[in-house]
Amino acid sequence: MQVETIASQPFNDQNPGTSGLRKKVKVFQQPGYLENFVQAIFDSLEDFSGKTLVLGGDGRYFNRTAIQSIIKIAAANGFGELIIGQGGLLSTPAASHIIRKYGAFGGLVLSASHNPGGPEEDFGIKYNVSNGGPAPEKYTDAFFKRSQVIDNYRIAVMGDVDLDQIGTQQLDGIAITIIDPVTDYAELMQSLFDFALLKQSISSGYITLLFDAMHAITGPYAKRIFVDLLGASPDSIINAVPLEDFGGHHPDPNLAHAHELAETMFSDSAPTFGAASDGDGDRNMITGRQIFVTPSDSLAIMAANAHLIPAYAKGLAGVARSMPTSQAVDRVAVKYNLPCFETPTGWKFFGNLLDAGKITLCGEESFGTGSDHVREKDGVWAVLFWLNLIAKKRQSVAEIVHEHWKIFGRDIYCRHDYEAVDSTIAQGILEHLRSLLPTLPGQTFGDYEVKFADEFSYTDPVDGSVSSNQGVRISFVNGSRMVFRLSGTGTVGATLRIYLERFEPDATKHNQDAQVALADLINLAEQFCEVKKRTGRVSPDVIT
């Protein structure tokens, strides 16, 4: 194999965020930018010579170009085999499964998740370790440190690989295996859920469904699983063809961006069940006829009913949620005497808990849920979980949710996102909040007395690693709370996220609109953080 060493200059902005390095496509298209970062990753890893690397992405613009470059860099650095999804496609949970199933050294997932795609939009790349999960902070810190001093990258002199022909080819000492991106994942799903019950429930008309793939990666997965294997009608899947620009839409599964699904589910012609997934297939939105299930409630309902699903019939080892996620799952854990962990935002923090057998189920308020079947959140898995639950309980989505609230109470919850805030202003908001923290405990604001106020820090119970500055928390004596944090997944400015939560035990008050029920907390949050005052905004960009 002929290998060239190409001199390069470091870029100062290659610090991976919550889920890898995400930038505008034009940033990645700079000469040496992608190559430097991939080489920095490989320079930070050890003992991978001759081993297997999984490679694939969500099909967004620049995906195929990036894959061809990565193949050549991986070959030059000594990997023995590459497993690549056909067409360069792999959902993030499918990539995690393939890493685990085939004992790969790791994988590179090319995605900016729920961010828009296209020549003027976003691209991303992250490294997943051998357990199939996102690289922990000790890895990403090393990648960034190396990227700051790197002065060359190594690349094999070879032609482009045919990404569309399934099979294995030997190229100068490296095996390139192109696989169907859906087959292994579909087999895994069949091992977890009662497909016979689901097929009967769909064929009988008891369950009707609508799944919005948002012109993103899950289109092929949904068609294979819901249509081919479970017998749903083809028109049950909308926006099913993956497009490089996601059809010009924002592939984020919430009521604002999955508006076609939302309009149908809140119409007179709504099917039993509706769902959507995001750009790379790891997020999910769950709806029923005339009802939206918040991700926090979805996680809690899954935990309370997991024993009804074949894969979890023996019970759960424990549960975990990200810190901003509502405390609904905590109440389930208390009732069933389950360990419950609170982690920072970012799926990588669940990995150690899953590997150590401390938890079986985990989730985030940002439309992500998952279990120990892979080491990523998993959108299609969550949809199948809910379908299996509906088929088993013989209840509608609304009946399942209201029954849960009656037993456990309702954590009325919402998130307000202020997107693309000037970074200096965003940091000023956080500094202002930090300055308030020592003064707040014991103060009363209307019906809300502050119990504690702090900045969340997490000590991993498995390896003892500490993650600081993970969000400002203000908790009240009545169980309500608010959280402020800057998102690590955007590419322009900063996104300030404000999370608001109030516990309501009274079943006669469970049907309140969240924005009305939380109005006092919303006003109090502005009093504390001054985001409208400091930015001139009149309202959040997205409310979920």
Side-chain angles (χ1 to χ4, degrees), residues 440-499:
L440 290 176
Q443 286 199 56
T444 299
F445 303 87
D447 294 332
Y448 296 91
E449 179 185 349
V450 178
K451 183 178 181 180
F452 71 84
D454 66 3
E455 191 159 17
F456 182 55
S457 179
Y458 176 69
T459 300
D460 191 295
V462 178
D463 64 16
S465 60
V466 177
S467 299
S468 303
N469 304 319
Q470 296 296 320
V472 170
R473 303 186 294 180
I474 301 173
S475 184
F476 301 94
V477 172
N478 65 4
S480 302
R481 65 175 190 151
M482 59 181 67
V483 174
F484 305 84
R485 60 179 291 272
L486 299 182
S487 169
T489 59
T491 61
V492 177
T495 295
L496 175 68
R497 289 186 169 155
I498 303 174
Y499 311 82

Side-chain angles (χ1 to χ4, degrees), residues 386-405:
W386 267 92
L387 287 171
N388 203 155
L389 208 55
I390 294 165
K392 186 73 173 179
K393 290 175 76 75
R394 311 309 282 182
Q395 291 179 313
S396 69
V397 174
E399 287 169 340
I400 291 171
V401 171
H402 290 127
E403 178 185 73
H404 183 87
W405 288 345

Side-chain angles (χ1 to χ4, degrees), residues 402-419:
H402 290 127
E403 178 185 73
H404 183 87
W405 288 345
K406 188 174 181 180
I407 296 169
F408 295 96
R410 180 186 176 191
D411 284 85
I412 303 174
Y413 181 90
C414 75
R415 188 182 90 193
H416 287 191
D417 287 4
Y418 291 84
E419 297 178 336

Side-chain angles (χ1 to χ4, degrees), residues 201-212:
S201 298
I202 290 170
S203 66
S204 69
Y206 180 76
I207 291 178
T208 52
L209 67 99
L210 184 65
F211 180 84
D212 188 350

Side-chain angles (χ1 to χ4, degrees), residues 35-165:
E35 293 83 355
N36 261 22
F37 187 64
V38 174
Q39 187 65 59
I41 291 173
F42 293 162
D43 286 350
S44 305
L45 303 174
E46 298 177 349
D47 300 325
F48 58 77
S49 179
K51 294 183 180 176
T52 300
L53 183 75
V54 171
L55 180 58
D58 60 16
R60 67 179 58 231
Y61 186 85
F62 196 59
N63 191 70
R64 281 179 172 264
T65 302
I67 283 176
Q68 295 292 353
S69 295
I70 293 169
I71 289 170
K72 295 165 188 175
I73 299 170
N77 280 271
F79 279 97
E81 181 185 19
L82 298 178
I83 299 178
I84 307 171
Q86 185 181 24
L89 300 177
L90 273 180
S91 77
T92 292
S96 178
H97 173 54
I98 288 164
I99 291 169
R100 294 168 63 80
K101 179 176 178 178
Y102 294 104
F105 181 84
L108 288 172
V109 179
L110 309 185
S111 172
S113 187
H114 54 291
N115 294 9
E120 305 299 322
E121 298 296 348
D122 299 345
F123 188 76
I125 179 171
K126 69 172 181 175
Y127 180 72
N128 281 31
V129 294
S130 59
N131 76 343
E137 286 183 326
K138 66 179 179 180
Y139 285 86
T140 54
D141 289 347
F143 301 161
F144 180 47
K145 184 177 180 181
R146 177 59 183 156
S147 77
Q148 293 176 301
V149 298
I150 194 168
D151 59 6
N152 68 77
Y153 60 88
R154 295 184 293 283
I155 190 163
V157 180
M158 55 189 285
D160 284 353
V161 171
D162 183 353
L163 299 176
D164 299 307
Q165 184 63 45

